[in-house]
Amino acid sequence: MLAIYKRELKAYFHSMIGCVFVAFLVIFTGIYFMAYNLTAGYPYFSYTLSGSLVVFLVGIPMITMRSFSEDRKTKTDQLLLTAPVSLTSVVLGKYLAMVTILAVPNLIFCLFPLIIEAQGTAYLLVDYSSIAVFFLLGCVYIAIGMFMSALTESQIIAFISTFGVLLLLYLWDGILSFLPSSAFSGMIGILLILTVLAAYIYQMTKNWVLSAGIEGVGIAAAVIVYIVNSGLYENILTKLLGKLALADIFMDITSSSIVDVSGIVLYLSIIAVFTFLTIQAIQKRRWS
């Protein structure tokens, strides 16, 4: 894993993608820092970081698009798949290399609260907590982008698909406001989610009996619950899908200076899930 990590890290800086990402994020955040903290005198650096979230929409796809799609296109993935190293080590090595790229600007951000303190009042605990959660949110986005890259051999498709997913998550609160709140609509939404899950299971296993069985049991359970107590389905889509508003966990620090521990657990869980899905996607190609 260490060898793959070093190889990927060098590749990012040799191709200038890493340098461009670091410079882009630092410059963009620096502009907000000058406007909000130095000029307007706002004492919280977390407010500045909230304005920099939009950079992730372009920056994260830029560093994740080549993670696996390039190897697949040039056929060098065959060397990795047949190397005397576990597939988990390969994925983690690449993932940690991208996380290191993200860590560089975040380490630079640690200087900004000290500049605020030198000019007046600063809230270092809140600011450094916001930097940590900002970094962790970026790690979540990297895991999602890495999975998208593992699904295609085209870097362009990997970039566009990752950008689309991150844009969807960025606008998630507004999208949820259009969801119906009735119990029947909630049940239909649950059934659609079950269908998507069954389709993904079939895509990964090619076992229609397993996927059909899971969907059949899920549909039966959902209908029974609706008959017994339909009130459970009221606003269920908003409550369930609202957990995917990942940026809200970071924004809570900006608005109330509170770190949501359950949100941190959610971030770590999503990272684990998409890392696992990436491994399974590559494992499927190994045996196909």
Side-chain angles (χ1 to χ4, degrees):
M1 184 177 76
L2 183 60
I4 295 173
Y5 169 78
K6 291 180 178 179
R7 169 184 173 272
E8 291 296 315
L9 193 59
K10 290 180 181 179
Y12 276 111
F13 285 108
H14 287 169
S15 63
M16 296 301 294
I17 293 178
C19 297
V20 170
F21 173 79
V22 172
F24 185 48
L25 186 54
V26 171
I27 291 174
F28 193 91
T29 305
I31 293 173
Y32 270 89
F33 177 70
M34 291 181 61
Y36 292 145
N37 300 120
L38 298 185
T39 303
Y42 198 79
Y44 291 98
F45 181 64
S46 57
Y47 190 76
T48 296
L49 284 180
S50 65
S52 299
L53 284 175
V54 68
V55 178
F56 281 162
L57 299 182
V58 177
I60 296 299
M62 184 174 64
I63 63 175
T64 61
M65 64 181 184
R66 62 172 295 276
S67 54
F68 286 100
S69 59
E70 183 181 25
D71 291 336
R72 186 174 176 181
K73 182 178 181 180
T74 60
K75 305 302 180 183
T76 54
D77 62 331
Q78 301 301 319
L79 297 176
L80 293 176
L81 295 177
T82 56
V85 61
S86 67
L87 189 56
T88 301
S89 298
V90 173
V91 173
L92 290 180
K94 287 177 172 286
Y95 178 72
L96 292 177
M98 292 183 284
V99 168
T100 302
I101 300 296
L102 177 64
V104 174
N106 281 272
L107 290 175
I108 297 175
F109 294 159
C110 291
L111 299 175
F112 290 4
L114 299 178
I115 297 176
I116 297 175
E117 186 180 36
Q119 301 297 320
T121 303
Y123 300 91
L124 297 182
L125 181 60
V126 175
D127 288 342
Y128 286 122
S129 298
S130 67
I131 293 173
V133 177
F134 182 81
F135 169 73
L136 195 57
L137 178 59
C139 292
V140 173
Y141 289 165
I142 287 176
I144 295 173
M146 180 176 66
F147 173 65
M148 293 298 172
S149 180
L151 298 178
T152 179
E153 65 179 24
S154 171
Q155 293 189 42
I156 301 300
I157 294 177
F159 180 94
I160 294 174
S161 59
T162 303
F163 174 81
V165 172
L166 298 188
L167 180 62
L168 190 66
L169 292 175
Y170 186 76
L171 302 174
W172 197 247
D173 279 335
I175 295 173
L176 291 180
S177 63
F178 293 101
L179 292 179
S181 59
S182 66
F184 182 75
S185 299
M187 185 189 68
I188 297 299
I190 295 297
L191 295 181
L192 290 176
I193 293 174
L194 285 172
T195 301
V196 172
L197 177 62
Y200 177 77
I201 293 175
Y202 174 76
Q203 180 66 25
M204 295 299 296
T205 64
K206 298 301 181 182
N207 188 333
W208 68 268
V209 176
L210 176 63
S211 58
I214 292 175
E215 183 171 13
V217 172
I219 290 175
V223 172
I224 291 173
V225 171
Y226 180 79
I227 294 174
V228 174
N229 187 2
S230 61
L232 293 176
Y233 283 106
E234 293 182 359
N235 290 315
I236 190 173
L237 293 179
T238 302
K239 296 175 182 177
L240 183 63
L241 299 179
K243 300 294 184 181
L244 296 179
L246 302 180
D248 286 354
I249 300 171
F250 168 77
M251 296 300 292
D252 285 342
I253 302 178
T254 302
S255 59
S256 59
S257 301
I258 296 177
V259 178
D260 185 3
V261 178
S262 62
I264 302 300
V265 174
L266 176 63
Y267 280 175
L268 295 176
S269 300
I270 294 175
I271 292 172
V273 167
F274 276 96
T275 302
F276 173 77
L277 291 177
T278 302
I279 295 172
Q280 295 306 308
I282 300 173
Q283 186 77 2
K284 177 190 173 186
R285 193 164 70 250
R286 169 187 277 181
W287 299 112
S288 62

